[in-house]
Amino acid sequence: MVFILAQPYPYPLPKPGQFALVIIDMQRDFLEQGGFGESLGNEVNTLREIVPTLQRLLEKFRQEQWPIIYTLESHAPDLSDCPPSKLMRGEGLLKIGDEGPMGRILIKGEPGNAIIPELTPERGEFIIPKPGKGAFYNTPLEDILQTQGITHLIVTGVTTEVCVQSTMREANDRGYECLLVEDATASYFPEFKQATLAMISAQGGIVGWTATANQVLNALD
Ligand code: TIU
C-alpha cells in the first residue's frame, strides 16, 4: 500500500480511481477584483498564491486520468436555492444576485461564477455547483462519488475555514477519508487557515489528514 507522509500520521492511498482531486470554489467571484470575496471586504490577492501549486496537482491527475472534481459556490438566477438568511447576511455590502463588475454575484452562468482561467476544467472532469458552503448539501456529489467508487478525497481550494472545512466535515461524517493539501488551500485570513489545518488533524485526525503538495506528489510518483 502507498502512503502519503501526512499529519497526524501517514495517509493510506487506495487504488487509482478510488481517490479524487477536489478543487473547491476556485472561481473568479472569490479570486478576482469585483467579485463576492472583495464585496465582503477581503483582499483577494491572498488567495492567488496557491494557483501554481494547484496547477502541479492538476497536471499529475490529468496525466494519469484520475478523477478531478471542481465545485463552484453558485445560485440559480431566481435565487430559489438561496436561503433568505444567506441572502440578507452582511449589512451594507453587495449581496448575492446583485450586479457586480463580473455580472450578478454568485449566480450560475455569470462571468464571475466561472473557474479562474488558469485552472479551466477539461472534458471528463466533474463540475459541481453548490448553494451552500459544504459541497454535499443539495448537490449530486455523493451520488457521483458512489457511482465512481471514490472513497478518498484529496482536498484543495478556497477558503480553508469556510467552504473547504465545511466540505471536509460533511465528507468525514459520510465516511470519506479526506486529506487537505496545505499549500493548495488559502484563506483571506492566514491565521484562520493555520487554525483550520491544526484542527483538522488534531485528536488523531478528527476530520482528516493534512500534507504538502510535495508530500502528495512524491507518494503519487
Ligand atoms: N467568504 C469566505 O471566506 N468564503 C465563502 O464565502 N465561500 C467559500 O469559502 N468558498
Side-chain angles (χ1 to χ4, degrees):
M1 181 171 267
V2 174
F3 290 89
I4 297 174
L5 282 180
Q7 295 297 331
Y9 55 88
Y11 174 83
L13 268 174
K15 284 197 278 235
Q18 296 177 348
F19 58 87
L21 179 64
V22 179
I23 302 177
I24 308 272
D25 297 359
M26 289 297 288
Q27 59 203 69
R28 299 181 65 203
D29 279 320
F30 293 119
L31 287 117
E32 293 185 7
Q33 264 139 27
F36 185 59
E38 195 180 61
S39 83
L40 296 174
N42 298 306
E43 166 50 64
V44 294
N45 281 329
T46 49
L47 303 191
R48 303 196 65 85
E49 288 167 16
I50 64 171
V51 173
T53 310
L54 266 166
Q55 285 173 319
R56 285 172 58 218
L57 289 165
L58 258 179
E59 189 185 359
K60 177 67 181 173
F61 273 72
R62 283 177 177 162
Q63 228 169 45
E64 305 287 350
Q65 298 190 305
W66 294 333
I68 297 168
I69 300 169
Y70 290 85
T71 69
L72 277 175
E73 192 169 341
S74 188
H75 291 279
D78 65 1
L79 296 173
S80 55
D81 58 1
C82 186
S85 58
K86 183 176 183 187
L87 199 54
M88 296 314 294
R89 206 67 63 77
E91 218 178 13
L93 302 170
L94 272 179
K95 300 220 177 343
I96 297 167
D98 285 352
E99 205 57 60
M102 292 188 293
R104 293 181 67 205
I105 288 186
L106 285 198
I107 300 297
K108 215 166 280 175
E110 296 286 332
N113 207 227
I115 304 287
I116 59 167
E118 298 91 324
L119 303 174
T120 299
E122 292 186 357
R123 253 170 99 92
E125 298 172 356
F126 297 97
I127 305 174
I128 307 206
K130 62 181 181 56
K133 302 305 184 193
F136 287 82
Y137 170 66
N138 218 350
T139 74
L141 178 57
E142 195 160 17
D143 279 350
I144 291 172
L145 296 178
Q146 282 176 3
T147 308
Q148 301 287 318
I150 296 166
T151 54
H152 287 55
L153 306 178
I154 308 292
V155 182
T156 65
V158 298
T159 63
T160 318
E161 77 282 8
V162 183
C163 292
V164 173
Q165 179 165 217
S166 293
T167 298
M168 283 189 75
R169 287 177 182 274
E170 286 184 331
N172 189 46
D173 282 350
R174 287 165 174 77
Y176 295 96
E177 302 282 31
C178 299
L179 180 144
L180 176 57
V181 186
E182 296 164 16
D183 45 350
T185 183
S187 168
Y188 299 117
F189 306 92
E191 69 276 23
F192 289 177
K193 170 178 167 173
Q194 288 315 318
T196 304
L197 293 176
M199 71 180 77
I200 280 169
S201 66
Q203 304 184 67
I206 194 86
V207 180
W209 286 257
T210 73
T212 64
N214 278 344
Q215 286 171 322
V216 173
L217 289 167
N218 287 343
L220 295 177
D221 268 341

